[in-house]
Amino acid sequence: MLNISIDTLINQLADNSLAVSDEAFPKHLSELLLQDLDRLHQVGAFQQAAIGRGGSLQVQKQIRGDQTYWLDENPDSQTQKDFLDFMRELQKKLNESFFIGLQELEAHYALYPPGAGYDKHIDQHAHTAYRKITFILYLNPQWQPGDGGELLIFDPQN
């Protein structure tokens, strides 16, 4: 199921510590994911996103204003299953390419209302060794530069 451009992404990731592509993910699956997201949003399945973890988990809309729906090991739709299968295949390819031993996969939908955002952060909890790679898939089919919501990546070492 992986597109041939995945190899290009792997090479970009090896060279630059990040990779960006408009073609690496199957377009038909993106369209189905957007329909699934809309379905879940219509039935009120999303929750306000929180920051932290465990006992320190808290909602702070001024830091993180999105609403999320977490996908789990027992997906409630074929689309979610297909997405998770794709991600597991990608996980396997990343493990083979970088010998990083990715064992877990976390996935969620995120909806950002107008004006909401997510402040600068490191996508790994302090004192943990997981979340070695973050995969972001935008499902905004009509998005244009200037609409807002651009991903900004910073180097925490600088």
Side-chain angles (χ1 to χ4, degrees):
M1 184 190 257
L2 291 180
N3 294 358
I4 192 68
S5 57
I6 291 297
D7 289 329
T8 302
L9 286 178
I10 297 287
N11 291 335
Q12 284 181 22
L13 191 57
D15 293 342
N16 306 312
S17 298
L18 70 99
V20 178
S21 173
D22 289 333
E23 292 118 23
F25 195 81
K27 183 176 169 63
H28 72 281
L29 186 51
S30 293
E31 292 166 353
L32 292 171
L33 286 167
L34 180 58
Q35 292 172 15
D36 191 55
L37 180 150
D38 285 340
R39 172 186 65 85
L40 291 164
H41 186 248
Q42 292 298 320
V43 299
F46 281 73
Q47 296 181 1
Q48 183 62 46
I51 59 171
R53 64 185 200 139
S56 69
L57 193 65
Q58 55 187 299
V59 171
Q60 291 193 14
K61 288 185 180 182
Q62 72 278 14
I63 295 174
R64 184 172 182 183
D66 60 317
Q67 299 172 358
T68 56
Y69 177 86
W70 287 87
L71 307 181
D72 62 30
E73 289 299 314
N74 300 308
D76 81 344
S77 72
Q78 184 62 44
T79 298
Q80 291 174 28
K81 181 185 178 314
D82 292 346
F83 171 73
L84 292 171
D85 288 346
F86 177 92
M87 294 305 297
R88 285 185 195 98
E89 195 172 339
L90 178 59
Q91 179 180 4
K92 180 181 174 194
K93 181 80 170 173
L94 290 165
N95 280 335
E96 291 169 356
S97 299
F98 298 115
F99 307 104
I100 53 177
L102 298 174
Q103 296 178 8
E104 293 187 25
L105 172 67
E106 294 179 338
H108 69 275
Y109 291 128
L111 284 173
Y112 286 85
Y118 195 168
D119 278 357
K120 181 169 65 172
H121 64 282
I122 295 173
D123 213 13
Q124 183 178 47
H125 295 290
H127 313 294
T128 63
Y130 47 89
R131 284 197 186 169
K132 295 176 183 176
I133 294 183
T134 298
F135 179 92
I136 300 171
L137 175 64
Y138 287 93
L139 299 175
N140 310 64
Q142 308 303 323
W143 184 87
Q144 296 292 318
D147 286 350
E150 292 90 350
L151 174 66
L152 302 174
I153 297 176
F154 75 102
D155 183 349
Q157 304 301 320
N158 293 329

